[in-house]
Each structure stands twice: as structure tokens, then as C-alpha cells.
Amino acid sequence: RVKDAMALLRTYRDTNLPGKELWLTEFGYDTDPQSVLHAPAIGGNSAAVVQGQWLVRYYLAMVAAGFDRVFLFVSRDSCSGSDSSCATQFDTAGLTTVKGQWTPKAAYYFIATFRNRLSSFAWLGEQASGNSSVSIYKFKDPANRKGAYVVWAPTSSAAVVSGFSLPIGAATTATAVAL
């Protein structure tokens, strides 16, 4: 798992460079199927939707691994079309289409929602789900004592877990936000 591999870097930092921030820069997934680092269409989800899902999962993994800052490689595509010129890694890794068009791709909405909902929240940790097909991360907003759970099926098969019920502790209300 990405989180576990990156946690090894945190351990190294904590041991050898205490007090230093841990950053990850320049990651992403292309939407052009010719790129070596592309998000494929999975199940009924287009490559653009899978790109958004994978980006959010990657950000979550980096938070869980203890990284201080994580940067997407590029905000907009540098190539459009379906010819072989778009096969270069990161040419279609943006959240929007090419300069001048700036049309938001599906991943734009995934990241915008993720940031909008959790930007003031702090990582609390993982929560056992009781189901190996369900992952849960917990967050808390220290300013207003609100909490949030991020729940997903950690697969690359477009699996949907039916009948899962999220325990929300002492909370009396909850709002579901789907990306």
C-alpha cells in the first residue's frame, strides 16, 4: 500500500531529520490511455473519474503516512486530442483541459470537494470498519468540534459494498457527501 511505503519515509525523517517537514511533489495520473501513468476506465467509471478517485486516495494516503505537504504535478493538461502526442507522461494529468479552454475535468470536482469539505480538519487516524472491503479515515475540525469520516472501498474494481453502515458514535446527525 502507498500509505505503508510512505510511512517508511516518515520513520526515516523522524529518526534522522526530526523537525523537518515531509513533502511529496509532482504526482498525478494521466487520462490519456497511451500514457504509461494513466488512470484507466474501471467498471462504469471513465478514466477521468478514476483519475479523481485515485488523486483523492493518494492525498488521503499521504495524510495517513504523516506528510506535511503534497503537491499535484500540474493543474492543467498540456495536450488535447487523441493522437500519440498526448501519450507523454503528465501531458493529461491536469484537473482542467489545456490553456485557453480551462474546462474542468472530473478530477477537478473530486479535489475541489475534498478540499472544501476537509480543509479545516485535522487527521485523527484510521477507524476499523469491521469489513476488509471498507476503509475509514477520521478527521476533526478543532475550531468547531465537528468530525468527518472518509469511507471508500479500497479496490481497483469499482466494487460497491452493499449494506455497510457507518457507526458515527455520539453524533446525532450526519451528512453524506459523495465525490
Side-chain angles (χ1 to χ4, degrees), residues 46-121:
S46 68
V49 168
V50 172
Q51 177 196 33
Q53 293 169 336
W54 285 9
L55 290 174
V56 169
R57 287 184 190 185
Y58 208 92
Y59 277 119
L60 287 166
M62 296 301 97
V63 168
F67 276 63
D68 298 290
R69 306 237 190 269
V70 181
F71 300 90
L72 189 61
F73 175 69
V74 66
S75 62
R76 67 165 169 83
D77 290 351
S78 59
C79 183
S80 64
S82 58
D83 61 19
S84 61
S85 66
C86 291
T88 303
Q89 186 172 328
F90 297 125
D91 272 357
T92 59
L95 301 179
T96 68
T97 57
V98 295
K99 185 176 182 177
Q101 291 178 355
W102 303 102
T103 305
K105 294 166 57 176
Y108 171 88
Y109 298 103
F110 278 73
I111 299 302
T113 302
F114 178 69
R115 288 189 66 212
N116 180 278
R117 301 303 284 196
L118 293 177
S119 65
S120 63
F121 285 69

